[in-house]
């Protein structure tokens, strides 16, 4: 019978806290950058110019249809050779995860925009607004309300995806837990504690998203 001993993890508490801090900070970065890439991607797919639409669709499908782990490895090992630039594990991970998330954010944003009745844009044009002004003042404020639940869900997925950056030795929570497990010879306790830490963060966020969805549904 295996004897559990979680007390031994106390001596590694700062290692776990540092890793958690990196994970949370990294998540903020890739969510913000992902939203920026997603915004450009969404507007690209809605562009009147065929070349811009094709470029945006190529970006979206290329990142949505390939595994994120493959992308991480490719960005770290292959891109520096092709581009001739040196890339740190953190930079490669941030770029790969941001673009990966951006491809999904693009579809969420595009879906939110096209869900707004075309008559709203026509009304803006009737008032003398340019297409850009109609988008900013009329369409986007309504679309954002519909996008929020999906954007939040995708951001939660991004948080979980950060666990993969440990393969590039980025000192996130998973990587630090690997160090603790190898040092303590207690992998069961270590990875159980990591699972609990992720659940403790994600379960409240998931509940918040669900409550937000219900409130938005009632508001509509």
């Amino acid at each position: 019978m295996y004897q559990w001993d979680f007390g031994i993890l106390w001596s590694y508490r700062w290692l776990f806290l540092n890793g958690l801090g990196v994970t949370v900070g990294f998540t903020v970065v890739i969510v913000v950058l992902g939203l920026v890439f997603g915004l450009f991607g969404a507007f690209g797919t809605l562009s009147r110019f065929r070349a811009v639409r094709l470029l945006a669709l190529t970006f979206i499908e290329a990142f949505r249809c390939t595994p994120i782990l493959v992308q991480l490895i490719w960005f770290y090992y292959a891109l520096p050779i092709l581009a001739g630039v040196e890339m740190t594990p953190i930079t490669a991970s941030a770029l790969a995860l941001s673009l990966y998330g951006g491809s999904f954010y693009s579809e969420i944003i595009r879906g939110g925009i096209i869900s707004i009745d075309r008559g709203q844009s026509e009304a803006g044009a009737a008032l003398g607004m340019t297409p850009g002004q109609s988008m900013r003042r009329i369409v986007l404020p309504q679309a954002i309300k519909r996008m929020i639940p999906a954007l939040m869900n995708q951001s939660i997925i991004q948080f979980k995806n950060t666990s993969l950056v440990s393969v590039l030795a980025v000192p996130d929570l998973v990587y630090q837990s690997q160090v603790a497990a190898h040092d303590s010879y207690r992998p069961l306790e270590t990875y159980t504690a990591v699972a609990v830490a992720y659940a403790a963060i994600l379960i409240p966020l998931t509940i918040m998203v669900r409550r937000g969805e219900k409130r938005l549904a009632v508001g509509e």
Side-chain angles (χ1 to χ4, degrees), residues 1 13 16 32 43 58 62 65 78 80-81 104 141 149 171 176 178 191:
M1 181 69 67
R13 61 189 182 280
F16 289 122
V32 171
F43 285 137
T58 300
C65 298
I81 296 174
F104 287 91
Q176 300 289 36
Q178 291 172 348
Y191 295 123

Side-chain angles (χ1 to χ4, degrees), residues 2 4-17 176-177 179-196:
Y2 185 80
W4 292 84
D5 182 14
F6 286 96
I8 197 172
L9 299 181
W10 181 251
S11 59
Y12 300 97
R13 61 189 182 280
W14 296 114
L15 201 63
F16 289 122
L17 287 173
Q176 300 289 36
S177 69
V179 173
H182 293 158
D183 187 67
S184 65
Y185 299 102
R186 287 285 180 172
L188 293 181
E189 289 88 341
T190 301
Y191 295 123
T192 299
V194 171
V196 170

Side-chain angles (χ1 to χ4, degrees), residues 5 7 10 27 39 42 49 51 62 67 71 77 100 102 104 120 156-157 187 197:
D5 182 14
W10 181 251
T27 300
L39 197 61
F49 302 102
Q71 293 175 27
Y77 292 104
Y100 176 80
F104 287 91
Q120 299 286 334
I156 288 173
I157 293 173

Side-chain angles (χ1 to χ4, degrees), residues 160-171:
K160 292 189 291 186
N161 285 339
T162 59
S163 62
L164 296 172
V165 301
S166 60
V167 300
L168 300 185
V170 175

Side-chain angles (χ1 to χ4, degrees), residues 18 34 37-38 42 58 66 78 83 86 101 104 110-111 113 122 124 134 138 161 178 180 206 209 212:
N18 288 336
F37 290 134
T58 300
T66 53
E86 188 175 349
F104 287 91
R110 182 186 68 83
I113 291 174
E122 294 174 352
S134 296
I138 300 176
N161 285 339
Q178 291 172 348
T206 303
V209 170

Side-chain angles (χ1 to χ4, degrees), residues 108-127:
I108 294 170
I109 295 170
R110 182 186 68 83
I113 291 174
I114 64 176
S115 71
I116 304 303
D117 188 87
R118 190 175 181 83
Q120 299 286 334
S121 299
E122 294 174 352
L127 293 173

